[in-house]
Amino acid sequence: MGLDVESIRKDFPILSTTSHGKPLVYLDSAATSQKPVQVINAVSEYYRNYNANIHRGIYEISVKATEEYERSKELAAKFINAGSYRSIVYNRNTTEAINTVAIAWGEANIGKGDHILITQMEHHSNIVPWQLLAKRRGAILDYAPLDKENRFIDMEGLKELLERGPKMVSFTHVSNVLGTINDAKEITALAHKAGARVLVDGAQAVPHMKVDVREIDCDFYAFSSHKMLGPAGTGVLYGKEELLEEMPPFLGGGEMIRSVGFDGATWNDIPWKFEAGTQNTESAIGLAAAMEYLGRIGMDEVRRHEEVLTRYALERLQDTSGVETYGPEGNDLKRKGGVIAFNVKGAHPHDVASIFDREGIAIRAGHHCAMPLVTKMLNEPAVARASFYIYTSEGEIDRMVQAVSRVKEVLHLNR
Ligand code: PMP
């Protein structure tokens, strides 16, 4: 049947605005998604009716704010089938979630000469925390290679590196540049067999497809509210309860303690042990509305829509002379999310993005916080990237393809 994109679009006020006098075409959802009125209203209602600090007040609006904040985490636990609410830590974003593990778990478990294994397709937020940890502890950071076409992780290469017995394997579920959907369950099973703990960076997965962390069986899983219709300011860290229990705290301060004396402190129960200081309550409440919104559509429907759209966009772009695309294609589209990195021959991606902008089309150009992948593997200084979501229509893809012709016209690339 497919999504009723036109009716979904009506929920997103920004999609009926214009940019440079033309209807806005927003193709940068991998960076951050737009927000439906349901989310905007939830945040506004909090500010209007029950704005208060959580966990602290015994007065009515503080109790209500606390209940709504905790309800958001219960929804998050269900959204990824975490099993227990105690496994869900709220923080600022995926980056902070990964840093929590790299610092709190890493300091307690990684020593001199230990191996940590990531891949060549990671976002900086799943590279730099491990580089810092490796440096502090004298550990060795290995990178699982990509296949010859730079589309997938080279599984044989990964297996070879697993023979070094890494203590941690951390990889992205979906690449924010290639769109590649990694087989998280298979990689987790291989890593566990090799004796490693596993963290999955789900920033580009949870917004776009059904994710079941217990089926994957990873030890940690991280994602961000702002990429899944929710407000910025909330990240989600899932961790297996026993691991969160034994991990030392990440940040110290209010809320994460049970008691504090002049000579030391004891820790709150999980997940609060990892939630130091005043939390971003309004963002958590908005995220709850976002998860409910996505839940009503159904994540399988979300995925189906993006798969159809990606196939259409890729075919149209590949039919356009002078356009090069990156990541899985053809028979492999089942393993590609709604992200298309591309270049127009003879045009710098920043020029492409600027000309698109004049056409009212928002895309991203650059290294997309994946410099090793873009500059070393794809061997490009930068790439343009269009990314899709539930509100992206076929008509918008057509406008994107027309904009490529405009790029060639403006830059006199007569192909
Ligand atoms: N991992 C991936 C794959 C991403 O695409 C992003 C966001 N671009 C991040 C991590 C970081 O997310 P955040 O900026 O919300 O921490």
Side-chain angles (χ1 to χ4, degrees), residues 285-299:
I285 287 168
L287 172 59
M291 290 186 287
E292 285 170 334
Y293 188 94
L294 288 169
R296 282 193 294 276
I297 294 174
M299 292 312 292

Side-chain angles (χ1 to χ4, degrees), residues 30-31 92-96 98 121-126 172 174-176 201-204 223-227 368-369 385:
R92 282 191 308 156
N93 46 36
T94 303
T95 305
E96 187 169 309
I98 296 173
M121 66 165 76
E122 301 308 316
H123 185 281
H124 295 164
S125 70
N126 198 30
T172 192
V174 177
S175 161
N176 65 314
D201 170 357
Q204 299 293 348
F223 59 101
S224 293
S225 162
H226 70 95
K227 293 184 196 286
H368 309 283
C369 295
R385 180 188 72 184

Side-chain angles (χ1 to χ4, degrees), residues 17-39:
T17 63
T18 56
S19 173
H20 297 297
K22 299 180 176 140
L24 171 69
V25 174
Y26 185 75
L27 300 180
D28 198 19
S29 291
T32 200
S33 71
Q34 294 304 341
K35 323 298 176 199
V37 281
Q38 289 81 350
V39 169

Side-chain angles (χ1 to χ4, degrees), residues 116-170:
I116 300 162
L117 177 56
I118 61 173
T119 83
Q120 289 179 338
M121 66 165 76
E122 301 308 316
H123 185 281
H124 295 164
S125 70
N126 198 30
I127 301 176
V128 183
W130 304 113
Q131 287 177 337
L132 289 169
L133 173 67
K135 196 152 189 205
R136 283 196 306 273
R137 308 298 295 175
I140 300 147
L141 183 58
D142 297 320
Y143 296 82
L146 304 187
D147 62 9
K148 276 207 290 294
E149 288 160 320
N150 291 316
R151 291 180 184 163
F152 298 102
I153 294 169
D154 170 1
M155 294 303 281
E156 290 314 307
L158 176 96
K159 284 178 196 163
E160 268 174 39
L161 290 169
L162 283 173
E163 283 170 18
R164 297 183 181 174
K167 290 259 174 76
M168 167 60 77
V169 174
S170 187

